[in-house]
Amino acid sequence: MQWNEAKKWIRTFRDHAGSSVRLVILPHAGGNANYYRDLVGFLSADVECIIIQYPGRQERLQEDMVDNIDDYADRITDVLRSMDDGGKRTILFGHSMGALIAYQMLHRNAHMLTSIEKLVVSCHTPPTRKDNKKYKKLDDDESVIEYLQSVGGLHDMVLEDKTMLELIIPAVRNDLVAVRNFSLTQAYKISVPIYGIHATEDFGVNISDMQMWALLTEKEFELVQLSGNHFYMSNQWNKLADYLQRLCYSVVSTS
């Protein structure tokens, strides 16, 4: 992938000169890079934080969306490979749909992503467990709105703004269909440790679901719980940053 194309996918929100480790954030279904902007402010200057901006949202609104998990995984792999940085040690964090994409990146393209040393998966069942009931009906806007309300991803102010809904709903529907259509019939173990985050009030993903991620790594597995719903981080970015930064520092200390 040419750099001019790759940089469309990358948001940083601050100077990262001199950073020793990289944290790559893969957003949720319908999500955008700006949602994770506050996280960057709670990370130390030693951590370069890159947030992936998917096509079809915000300044990329006019671009065609990616409609399946494997294509997301391969294209983001190409984005990371295009960065000329000598292979900076990297942690990959995926929230919800982002967790599936991150896992597939390492499952499909591990030989091209040797700088990635840890995978953090947040609030999503592992790909070996299918739960299509959650995404069964997505054709009409009301069904998408109901889904967003059920996971705590839709504020009343947005619900009352038809223009905003018209911008949000297509991306959410596109990504949820991609999740619904994704299947993995065999548990492929990746060669990096997996760290899971379970939200205590995320009623769509229980703790036993998150524990099953342990079956998908050849290395260690750790599971932590943070209070809140599916979007637990929205009022506690500092706690998520503290956890991710601890993982980043442990990468640096072993270098």
Side-chain angles (χ1 to χ4, degrees):
M1 181 182 290
Q2 296 294 321
W3 176 241
N4 284 342
E5 173 63 23
K7 65 183 181 181
K8 295 179 183 178
W9 293 74
I10 296 170
R11 297 293 174 273
T12 56
F13 299 117
R14 74 174 183 191
D15 178 39
H16 53 261
S19 58
S20 55
V21 63
R22 172 176 294 146
L23 173 64
V24 178
I25 307 293
L26 276 64
H28 51 280
N32 60 69
N34 277 6
Y35 181 83
Y36 296 83
R37 185 170 188 160
D38 288 346
L39 174 67
V40 180
F42 288 104
L43 296 168
S44 79
D46 290 337
V47 178
E48 174 191 6
C49 186
I50 288 177
I51 306 171
I52 298 298
Q53 182 76 302
Y54 304 140
R57 50 218 81 187
Q58 294 189 313
E59 73 283 353
R60 304 190 71 187
L61 186 63
Q62 301 305 317
E63 298 180 46
D64 292 336
M65 288 184 275
V66 179
D67 62 5
N68 70 83
I69 299 300
D70 286 346
D71 280 355
Y72 264 128
D74 291 346
R75 293 178 70 176
I76 297 170
T77 294
D78 286 343
V79 169
L80 298 186
R81 292 184 68 209
S82 72
M83 302 180 71
D84 184 18
D85 55 19
K88 185 180 291 187
R89 300 165 79 91
T90 301
I91 289 178
L92 199 56
F93 169 88
H95 177 61
S96 198
M97 178 188 75
L100 291 183
I101 297 171
Y103 169 79
Q104 276 300 87
M105 288 172 64
L106 292 166
H107 165 218
R108 291 167 63 87
N109 306 313
H111 62 292
M112 296 186 284
L113 296 168
T114 54
S115 61
I116 294 178
E117 300 194 358
K118 297 179 180 180
L119 169 61
V120 186
V121 292
S122 169
C123 294
H124 203 286
T125 56
T128 47
R129 184 183 183 279
K130 294 288 286 182
D131 186 11
N132 289 337
K133 292 180 180 178
K134 190 187 303 184
Y135 313 118
K136 187 175 182 180
K137 187 179 179 184
L138 295 169
D139 294 333
D140 60 275
D141 290 356
E142 285 303 315
S143 296
V144 178
I145 291 171
E146 287 176 10
Y147 166 79
L148 289 171
Q149 290 176 310
S150 72
V151 297
L154 197 61
H155 298 296
D156 290 341
M157 184 173 62
V158 176
L159 186 60
E160 296 171 1
D161 188 334
K162 291 185 178 180
T163 301
M164 185 68 71
L165 286 175
E166 288 174 357
L167 294 174
I168 293 172
I169 288 174
V172 175
R173 178 185 292 114
N174 173 85
D175 290 349
L176 291 181
V177 170
V179 172
R180 183 180 67 187
N181 293 341
F182 176 66
S183 62
L184 189 69
T185 55
Q186 183 177 343
Y188 294 95
K189 294 189 175 186
I190 60 174
S191 59
V192 302
I194 296 179
Y195 299 80
I197 300 175
H198 175 251
T200 56
E201 297 170 35
D202 186 353
F203 302 116
V205 183
N206 61 48
I207 194 166
S208 61
D209 291 330
M210 292 302 303
Q211 288 169 336
M212 290 175 65
W213 281 99
L215 302 175
L216 297 179
T217 177
E218 297 173 350
K219 306 291 186 177
E220 65 266 25
F221 172 75
E222 174 182 283
L223 181 62
V224 299
Q225 286 188 295
L226 293 177
S227 61
N229 62 22
H230 193 68
F231 292 98
Y232 61 90
M233 67 281 283
S234 63
N235 60 358
Q236 52 183 350
W237 288 108
N238 59 322
K239 291 184 179 180
L240 177 59
D242 286 347
Y243 180 66
L244 294 175
Q245 191 157 280
R246 178 173 71 81
L247 297 180
C248 288
Y249 283 157
S250 67
V251 167
V252 174
S253 66
T254 59
S255 59

